[in-house]
Amino acid sequence: MGPLRNNLRHTPRNLTALIRSTNNPVTALSAYVGNLSPGDRFIAGILGLVVGVTVVIGLVALERSFLIEMPATGGSLSEGVVGAPRFVNPLLALSDTDRDITSLTHAGLMGYDEGGNLVPVLAESFTLSEDQRTYTFVLRADATFHDGNPITSEDVVYTIAKAKDPAIKSPVLSNWANIDVRAIDARTVEFALPRPYAPFLEEATLGILPAHIWRDIGSEEFPFSPLVSAPVGSGPFKVARVARDDAGRIVRYELEAFQGYALGRPYLDRIRFFVFADYAALQAAVDKGQVESAYGIPSDEALRVPYSRVFGVFFNPSTEPLFSDIAVRKALSFAIDREALVRDVLGGYATPAIGPVPAGVEVPSLFLPDPATRVQEARQLLTDAGWTWSEELLAWEKEGRTLAVTLETANVAELKSLAGKIQLDWAALGVPTTIELHQPADLAEGTIRTRAYGALLFGEVVGSYPDLYAFWYSGERADPGLNIADYASSEVDELLEQARTEPDRIVALGYLAEANARIAEDYPAAFTHTPDFLYVVPRGLKGVNLLHIAEPSDRFHTVRYWYRHTELVWPSFVN
C-alpha cells in the first residue's frame, strides 16, 4: 500500500482513472477518499449514508410489495361484564355472562367462520337425508377437549341426553325434546328430527360436554358441580384462572388460547373478564380505561348492529274484545311516533319497526306511518270504522263501548320509558292509557303465561336464523307457546312452515318476507323498534365481525379470528 499511496498523491483526484490503474474499485475508492480534504470526506460520508439508507429503504419497500400482511398470534383483551358467572355450561347458562364465557370455552358440532357463516367445527362434515329429517355428523379425528381427551360420539349423545333431562331444567330442553340422537360409531352420530327443520344447524352449535368427566355426576348435583365455574370444554379458549374476593364472589375470569381448537388456535393469547355490579360501574371502568371492551355501553365509537329481536305492543283480543277490531289495532299502531321514540327514548340506538321481522334481516322494509300525519290518519281510521269522538267524555265510543287501553309491561327502566312515550302518543289520538308495571318474573309467570293482559309491551328474540314460527304460528297461541298476540292465519301458518323447512336460505327468506308483510297488514301488534347492539372495542383489535346478534354472547362467534398483531409473509405461505 505504501508505494501505491505515494503514486496516488501525484495523480489527479479522478476516481475513474484510479479504478483503471488499480483494477480494484474498492481499493481505488478507499484511496480516492483518503486523498480528500477532511471537509470533502465528511460530505462524502453523508452522501454515502444517504445512498445506503435509500438503497435499504428501496429494498425493504420492494420486499414489502411482494409480502402480505397477515394476523399474528399474541396480545390479550380485557372485557368488562355486568354480573358474575354462575353456570359456565352450555346446558345451564342463564345469564349473559354465563353465555359469554360458555361460548368461548365450549364448541359444538357446528360453529362460525371468519365471515360469520355456519361451518362444521367439532364435526368435519355432515349429510342431510333426502326427507330432510336426519342429520348425520362425522367428527374430526383430531378433535379434543381442553384436557387432551378425544371427542367422540359418546360425548355428543351424552350432552343431548342431559339437555333432555327434565331434572336439570336446562333452558335448551325445548330445542332438543323431540330430537332423537344415536351413535353410529365412535366418530359418527345421527340426529332424527320429527319433521324438516332448516334452522337445526344453528341448534347444532350447542357446546359438547366431556362425558368422561360428567358421567358420574347425578342430575341433582349437576348444577352444583365445581365444573360449572371451571369447565373443561373444547372451545377456542380454556380457563386459566378464576379470581374471587374475600366473600367468594368471582371478580375476574381469565381465559387462555386453546392450542388444540378444532378450527385452529385463536390469535389472541388471553381474554380477561372483569366483573362489575351494574352498567354504571362498567361505564366508569370503560371511561377510565380499566377495561378495553364492553357491550351495552352507549358510545359514538362503539360497533353497532341491529339485535335479532323486535319490540312492540302485542294486542290480545281474547282478553280485551276491543282489539278484535282491526281499525283499533291499526289506529293505535299508526299513532305511535316511532322516529321520536327511537330518538328521544332510545338515544338513537334503534331502528323503527312496523313488522315482526327485526331490522338487519334480508327482507324488504315495510311502510312506516308518516310522523307528520300519523294522528290524523289514525283518527280517520277510527271514524271510518264507526267510532265517534265524544266531546263530553273526551273519548272514542262505539256501540256503548269506550276506547281505552291498559298497557302492561315489565318494571325496568327502558320499558317504563317506552310505555310513557306510547301513552303520550295515544293520548294525542284521544285514547286514555293506563300503565301497569310488573316485576319481570311476575310478568312472565303471572301475566304472559296466563295471557292475562289486553295490551302487552314486550320484546321477542327472533334468533340468528329468522324463524317466526314460535311467535306467530296459530298452534303456538297457548302456553308454553310464544304467540302472545293470539294470532291465527292459515296463510301465514303455511308460509311459516315453508320458511322453516326450506333448506335454501334465499327461498326461505322469500317465504319469511311474505309472512312478515301479511302479519304486519293484520296489525296484531303495534311494532315499535329493533334495538341496536353496541360493542365498545379498542382500536387496536382487528377482525371483529358482528353479524346476527340475538344474544350478547353472539359477539364472540368469530373470536377465533380476532387479532392485535400482524406479520408479513410471502404469498406462497398463505393458505
Side-chain angles (χ1 to χ4, degrees):
M1 285 293 293
L4 178 60
R5 287 180 62 86
N6 290 336
N7 291 334
L8 287 173
R9 289 188 182 120
H10 300 289
T11 60
R13 296 180 180 179
N14 186 306
L15 183 57
T16 303
L18 286 174
I19 294 173
R20 289 174 180 171
S21 65
T22 63
N23 292 321
N24 188 328
V26 175
T27 301
L29 180 60
S30 177
Y32 180 78
V33 172
N35 279 302
L36 296 176
S37 67
D40 290 343
R41 282 199 298 272
F42 176 77
I43 294 173
I46 295 297
L47 291 174
L49 179 63
V50 171
V51 171
V53 170
T54 302
V55 169
V56 170
I57 292 174
L59 291 174
V60 171
L62 180 63
E63 181 185 45
R64 289 180 68 94
S65 68
F66 290 101
L67 297 177
I68 297 176
E69 187 177 53
M70 297 291 293
T73 57
S76 63
L77 178 67
S78 61
E79 175 105 2
V81 294
V82 174
R86 291 185 58 202
F87 303 112
V88 185
N89 181 299
L91 305 186
L92 300 174
L94 292 173
S95 71
D96 287 343
T97 307
D98 287 346
R99 288 187 285 264
D100 285 349
I101 300 177
T102 297
S103 70
L104 295 172
T105 54
H106 293 77
L109 297 172
M110 301 293 291
Y112 300 88
D113 65 10
E114 190 172 6
N117 304 301
L118 269 175
V119 295
V121 178
L122 298 183
E124 68 177 21
S125 63
F126 69 89
T127 56
L128 177 60
S129 63
E130 192 170 328
D131 65 1
Q132 299 179 33
R133 293 178 53 241
T134 303
Y135 287 81
T136 305
F137 292 85
V138 177
L139 299 176
R140 295 179 187 267
D142 58 351
T144 68
F145 290 105
H146 294 157
D147 62 0
N149 279 275
I151 298 171
T152 69
S153 55
E154 178 188 3
D155 300 301
V156 179
V157 171
Y158 171 82
T159 301
I160 304 307
K162 295 305 292 185
K164 297 168 67 173
D165 182 354
I168 70 169
K169 300 178 181 179
S170 172
V172 301
L173 186 153
S174 61
N175 298 343
W176 297 96
N178 298 317
I179 296 177
D180 295 325
V181 58
R182 68 186 183 102
I184 306 300
D185 56 43
R187 290 182 53 213
T188 310
V189 63
E190 179 183 276
F191 295 88
L193 281 61
R195 62 184 66 85
Y197 180 55
F200 174 73
L201 292 179
E202 294 276 354
E203 307 295 349
T205 62
L206 178 73
I208 301 302
L209 297 176
H212 67 278
I213 293 178
W214 284 95
R215 186 186 299 110
D216 297 329
I217 300 175
S219 298
E220 293 76 15
E221 294 81 28
F222 200 86
F224 306 104
S225 167
L227 289 169
V228 298
S229 61
V232 174
S234 55
F237 290 86
K238 60 182 182 179
V239 178
R241 184 187 177 204
V242 180
R244 300 176 183 269
D245 62 15
D246 294 339
R249 294 182 292 261
I250 295 175
V251 295
R252 189 169 72 256
Y253 210 101
E254 187 169 323
L255 306 177
E256 64 181 13
F258 176 39
Q259 302 287 340
Y261 179 53
L263 294 184
R265 179 204 191 278
Y267 294 122
L268 293 177
D269 287 337
R270 290 179 181 269
I271 298 181
R272 298 179 180 90
F273 287 88
F274 292 84
V275 176
F276 296 90
D278 51 45
Y279 274 97
L282 177 57
Q283 176 79 68
V286 171
D287 294 340
K288 295 176 182 177
Q290 295 174 344
V291 296
E292 300 175 288
S293 58
Y295 78 88
I297 302 298
S299 169
D300 292 338
E301 297 181 357
L303 301 179
R304 175 178 171 180
V305 295
Y307 260 119
S308 292
R309 52 184 66 177
V310 64
F311 281 76
V313 177
F314 296 84
F315 302 119
N316 182 9
S318 295
T319 300
E320 176 48 79
L322 285 172
F323 298 135
S324 297
D325 188 340
I326 188 174
V328 170
R329 303 194 304 268
K330 188 173 182 179
L332 292 173
S333 179
F334 265 53
I336 296 174
D337 188 345
R338 292 163 176 81
E339 293 182 5
L341 183 150
V342 167
R343 181 185 65 245
D344 301 335
V345 178
L346 302 172
Y349 297 115
T351 303
I354 195 67
V357 174
V361 179
E362 310 96 303
V363 299
S365 299
L366 299 177
F367 162 79
L368 281 170
D370 186 343
T373 60
R374 58 185 176 81
V375 175
Q376 179 182 347
E377 291 184 62
R379 288 174 177 162
Q380 190 62 51
L381 286 167
L382 292 176
T383 300
D384 292 344
W387 290 86
T388 58
W389 176 252
S390 169
E391 290 291 349
E392 180 182 353
L393 298 176
L394 297 178
W396 292 92
E397 288 187 309
K398 180 180 179 180
E399 299 174 355
R401 296 176 298 170
T402 300
L403 182 53
V405 176
T406 297
L407 180 60
E408 305 190 51
T409 192
N411 188 19
V412 297
E414 185 173 288
L415 290 175
K416 285 171 60 177
S417 298
L418 288 170
K421 177 65 173 67
I422 293 170
Q423 183 184 45
L424 292 175
D425 286 343
W426 287 349
L429 175 61
V431 177
T433 303
T434 301
I435 298 174
E436 290 190 0
L437 301 176
H438 305 263
Q439 292 306 309
D442 295 337
L443 183 71
E445 293 296 322
T447 304
I448 296 178
R449 292 194 65 176
T450 60
R451 303 300 195 257
Y453 54 86
L456 174 70
L457 175 58
F458 204 61
E460 294 180 336
V461 179
V462 176
S464 299
Y465 190 102
D467 181 15
L468 299 180
Y469 184 94
F471 304 109
W472 298 103
Y473 189 74
S474 60
E476 299 292 321
R477 287 179 290 171
D479 182 71
L482 300 177
N483 185 343
I484 57 177
D486 196 41
Y487 179 75
S489 165
S490 58
E491 293 180 349
V492 170
D493 283 352
E494 183 177 354
L495 289 168
L496 296 180
E497 287 274 16
Q498 292 172 316
R500 70 179 348 219
T501 58
E502 173 56 57
D504 187 317
R505 181 178 173 86
I506 295 177
V507 176
L509 285 173
Y511 293 132
L512 183 70
E514 188 172 352
N516 184 49
R518 294 284 183 91
I519 295 170
E521 289 172 357
D522 288 336
Y523 293 90
F527 301 100
T528 56
H529 68 284
T530 293
D532 286 344
F533 177 77
L534 304 174
Y535 190 33
V536 175
V537 297
R539 292 184 179 181
L541 183 65
K542 308 296 182 183
V544 181
N545 187 11
L546 303 181
L547 293 173
H548 304 295
I549 304 291
E551 300 289 347
S553 60
D554 292 348
R555 68 191 185 279
F556 293 125
H557 278 341
T558 61
V559 70
R560 175 259 182 270
Y561 305 97
W562 297 4
Y563 63 96
R564 305 198 77 153
H565 302 311
T566 61
E567 60 184 351
L568 296 173
V569 299
W570 291 97
S572 58
F573 292 103
V574 178
N575 293 330

